[in-house]
Amino acid sequence: MKRATGATHMEARHEKYHRLIEFCRALPPMPTAVAHPCDRSALEGAVEAAKAGLIEPLLVGPAARIREVASTCGIDIARFPLIDAPHSEAAAAQAVHAVRAGQAEALMKGSLHTDELMSAVLSRESGLRTARRVSHCFVMDVPGHPNALILTDAAVNIAPTLMEKVDILQNAIDLAHALHIDEVRVAILSAMETVNPKVPSTIEAAALCKMVDRRQITGALVDGPLALDNAIDPEAARIKQIESPVAGRANVLLLPDLEAGNMLAKSLSFLAGADAAGIVLGARVPIILTSRADTVTTRLASCAVAALVAAARRNLV
């Protein structure tokens, strides 16, 4: 079989992200506080998202350093407001303050550690906490898979309890609706599809499903425990004789813990060529988490995801 050309392959690879970005063109740009954009990838990502009409950046960090990076890299930041903050921790705090003051509807990670940003977000006195548990979702564009896959949690909650998983699950379901997924189908993953008292994640999966039955969690079809193969592959579900509206058709995957989530996300990225747009939910505003290794398209997709979440909160779409 003839191999696709490089351009065709890249276009197909990013097809789901391009649809997300295109959908956002009808929305007004989202005012976004960008915390410590002090390297090329962080600053360029924010500026490219502004050029695409996704965000209106408010740059927060050491002003002289940001201007130096912009000058060195040939990035035009003249039209963007800049709040001076002496270092990364101060930039995170100032960016969060900008959100609290109504200057921004989203927060974007620049070239600082995620822990520094989340420490400011989770501050009880001056942060962006809500009644919900904060959690992370990857919206993954996996080549060969027909639709985007939402994975949670692979970056924030290390070993979530059952009650913490309730919020993590509800956050992911709400995200799926914000992304206009017609039917949200959640697979609660474990190593097997049967309940086994020796494997705690299978018991928690069964409990979460019963909570869905009792409407403690709403907005989706939910099933588990399911193994990864029979969660996303119809033939695997058929062979295992699993009768479920979710098995083989899941578009949201709830992982048992951060280790499993991180390994699955990186396996999809490095072995299957997937891209992973990242967002943190459960705070007052969506938080855009990007990596220095992200492509420009992935950075734009992360901004598009956040824009749709913000729009859903404003009931614009």
Side-chain angles (χ1 to χ4, degrees), residues 17 20-21 24 27 54 179 299-309:
Y17 282 175
L20 268 179
I21 294 164
C24 289
L27 300 174
L54 296 169
L179 298 182
R299 290 175 182 275
L300 295 182
S302 295
C303 292
V305 169
L308 288 170
V309 170

Side-chain angles (χ1 to χ4, degrees), residues 277-297:
I279 186 167
V280 171
L281 304 161
R284 291 191 193 181
V285 297
I287 301 166
I288 303 160
L289 284 192
T290 56
S291 164
R292 281 175 292 181
D294 284 346
T295 64
V296 171
T297 302

Side-chain angles (χ1 to χ4, degrees), residues 30-266:
M30 175 178 59
T32 302
V34 186
H36 205 256
C38 292
D39 65 13
R40 177 172 192 146
S41 61
L43 191 58
E44 194 170 52
V47 172
E48 288 298 320
K51 288 180 181 177
L54 296 169
I55 69 171
E56 288 180 354
L58 170 61
L59 307 176
V60 186
R65 189 172 167 191
I66 292 171
R67 291 191 181 105
E68 181 184 0
V69 171
S71 176
T72 301
C73 299
I75 302 170
D76 183 6
I77 61 169
R79 69 186 181 91
F80 304 124
L82 201 163
I83 296 176
D84 190 28
H87 48 72
S88 55
E89 288 185 7
Q94 289 271 41
V96 167
H97 177 74
V99 171
R100 289 175 64 96
Q103 295 174 271
E105 291 183 50
L107 194 60
M108 185 175 184
K109 175 179 175 284
S111 54
L112 75 172
H113 292 295
T114 299
D115 287 351
E116 290 178 295
L117 182 63
M118 294 310 298
S119 177
V121 169
L122 296 175
S123 169
R124 292 192 179 278
E125 295 78 25
S126 57
L128 302 174
R129 285 175 177 265
T130 68
R132 284 269 185 95
R133 179 82 178 182
V134 168
S135 63
H136 179 271
C137 285
F138 276 128
V139 181
M140 302 205 71
D141 187 340
V142 184
H145 197 73
N147 298 299
L149 274 176
I150 296 174
L151 271 62
T152 192
D153 184 330
V156 172
N157 292 283
I158 297 172
T161 65
L162 173 62
M163 292 312 296
E164 288 167 352
K165 286 182 179 179
V166 172
D167 278 353
I168 293 169
L169 176 52
Q170 192 66 65
N171 284 342
I173 293 170
D174 292 349
L175 171 61
H177 286 292
L179 298 182
H180 297 268
I181 294 176
D182 293 332
E183 184 176 66
V184 184
R185 301 182 293 272
V186 183
I188 305 173
L189 295 187
S190 184
M192 60 198 71
E193 63 280 352
T194 54
V195 176
N196 185 333
K198 295 181 181 180
V199 184
S201 61
T202 66
I203 297 174
E204 291 185 347
L208 288 167
C209 289
K210 184 49 66 176
M211 294 172 87
V212 172
D213 291 344
R214 297 291 185 264
R215 299 193 59 75
Q216 293 170 266
I217 302 163
T218 60
L221 299 171
V222 181
D223 197 7
L226 289 170
L228 178 61
D229 58 345
N230 49 57
I232 61 173
D233 183 69
E235 182 63 12
R238 186 192 66 78
I239 291 170
K240 288 290 185 75
Q241 298 182 324
I242 302 172
E243 295 184 9
S244 161
V246 172
R249 304 172 64 237
N251 45 34
V252 178
L253 304 177
L254 178 69
L255 285 304
D257 55 35
L258 182 143
E259 290 175 307
N262 187 273
M263 284 186 273
L264 177 56
K266 287 182 177 176

